[in-house]
Amino acid sequence: MGQVDVSIILLTYNGIRYIDEVLRAIYRQQTSFPFEVIAIDSGSSDGTVDVLMSYPVRFYPIDKKQFGHGKTRNYGAELSRGQYLVFLTQDATPADEFWLKEMIRGFSLDPRVGCVFGKQIARPECDPFTRRDLMLHFEMFSKSDEPLVQYVEDTPEGRALYHQNPLWYGFNSNVNSALRKEAWAAIRFRDVIYTEDQVMGRDIIVNGWKKVYMPKAAVIHSHSYSSFFRYFQRFFDELRGMHMAFGYTEDVSLATLIPACYRIARAEAQFIFSETDYRRHEKCYWVYFRWRWHIARRLGAYFGCRHDKLPHFLRRFFSLEKNPGPTMNACSKNEVDR
């Protein structure tokens, strides 16, 4: 086998909708370094494997029961030959042929950069609110194409700044991210039910490494679900993962849920009516959509942050991944912020 500098680790499961598009974009990358693609499939039955095998990937099938967001990425890292590990999801399409070059350029900004993450751009069919939310989220790190280097100064003031905003300092998304292999080997992904990427982001920061946001290392990625119950399931998984990993909670009251969501959606109507070009009936639909979205979001937060009080069958029913998970926290907030 020839030497490679970068290993792209791609986890798949029934990803036929976008997998060919993603792989075509990967193999169009313009780089001065060699790279490999490691594909780990968890038992796809929709033709995903056939598409994978039509490209020069290193293919490794696993049983679906063996999959874990953290441990399967660790498995991919163990198989890798590159000094940089790039993590991409099966529905995240590199936005241009320089995505990989920009991602790896982030490591050259400082020898202590252990993690790099890139921008996510909503897909054309995405709803206007999610499109706006994605844009505003990544603008928190940089409103231009200039990279941002994040780290915590080893001073009382530096540690105080971190504890004031740990979600900002620790944000990382394995939709589109990379690790220096040396940093991964020292830390490794934790075997958590969800949010393994954000746990890794915090672990990188608190262990003295630096993290870089590269806006030009962008992918096309967003979620559109067929029903509001599936949105609820997605938010249940996310908030349960954050509660288990960080002790994160949100103050949600079922008694005031519907009117509170109505007030939020009514305030957001100004955006849809003044800043979009939809026809009037379409604008009314998107305001109604957002009201229901907020209900799904808050219900997901309510039950996700109370997962340990739910019976096994409800945790499984509420999970988009049908994963009941453990009732105990996988790692405590103090452990993450050590």
Side-chain angles (χ1 to χ4, degrees), residues 95-167:
D96 59 36
E97 65 271 30
F98 303 110
W99 157 77
L100 188 56
K101 177 183 176 182
E102 282 295 307
M103 183 71 79
I104 301 306
R105 186 171 73 88
F107 291 103
S108 70
L109 300 182
D110 190 289
R112 288 298 294 172
V113 172
C115 177
V116 177
F117 67 99
K119 182 189 293 185
Q120 298 174 38
I121 302 169
R123 291 189 173 276
E125 67 273 16
C126 180
D127 71 87
F129 291 102
T130 299
R131 181 182 308 281
R132 181 199 60 174
D133 291 349
L134 265 179
M135 180 188 70
L136 293 176
H137 174 76
F138 286 100
E139 283 185 352
M140 289 194 306
F141 303 101
S142 177
K143 292 186 177 181
S144 69
D145 286 338
E146 290 301 310
L148 170 74
V149 180
Q150 295 176 296
Y151 62 97
V152 175
E153 292 186 0
D154 190 18
T155 64
E157 294 78 13
R159 289 188 287 274
L161 284 174
Y162 165 74
H163 286 290
Q164 286 172 17
N165 200 355
L167 291 178

Side-chain angles (χ1 to χ4, degrees), residues 6-119:
V6 176
S7 298
I8 300 173
I9 298 169
L10 182 65
L11 310 188
T12 61
Y13 176 70
N14 287 344
I16 194 63
R17 181 175 183 182
Y18 294 117
I19 192 62
D20 186 62
E21 173 185 295
V22 170
L23 287 166
R24 278 190 282 113
I26 289 174
Y27 284 103
R28 284 202 303 262
Q29 293 301 300
Q30 301 294 313
T31 68
S32 60
F33 50 81
F35 65 88
E36 64 177 353
V37 178
I38 297 171
I40 303 174
D41 186 79
S42 303
S44 292
S45 58
D46 64 348
T48 296
V49 173
D50 293 333
V51 176
L52 289 171
M53 298 303 288
S54 69
Y55 287 86
V57 304
R58 293 174 59 195
F59 176 71
Y60 297 88
I62 63 171
D63 188 279
K64 186 179 178 182
K65 294 179 181 178
Q66 295 178 310
F67 176 83
H69 286 285
K71 71 178 182 180
T72 304
R73 286 178 169 87
N74 283 335
Y75 175 51
E78 291 164 359
L79 294 168
S80 69
R81 293 181 290 138
Q83 60 177 317
Y84 302 109
L85 312 174
V86 176
F87 297 92
L88 194 67
T89 56
Q90 64 183 7
D91 57 351
T93 306
D96 59 36
E97 65 271 30
F98 303 110
W99 157 77
L100 188 56
K101 177 183 176 182
E102 282 295 307
M103 183 71 79
I104 301 306
R105 186 171 73 88
F107 291 103
S108 70
L109 300 182
D110 190 289
R112 288 298 294 172
V113 172
C115 177
V116 177
F117 67 99
K119 182 189 293 185

Side-chain angles (χ1 to χ4, degrees), residues 239 248-258 260-261 294-306:
L239 273 296
Y248 178 84
T249 60
E250 290 189 8
D251 184 18
V252 178
S253 167
L254 292 182
T256 60
L257 179 74
I258 291 178
C261 291
H294 278 296
I295 291 174
R297 169 68 175 76
R298 291 197 165 201
L299 282 173
Y302 181 86
F303 288 106
C305 293
R306 292 165 175 79

Side-chain angles (χ1 to χ4, degrees), residues 106 145 174-175 234 323:
D145 286 338
N174 280 337
V175 167
R234 172 77 181 192
N323 187 345

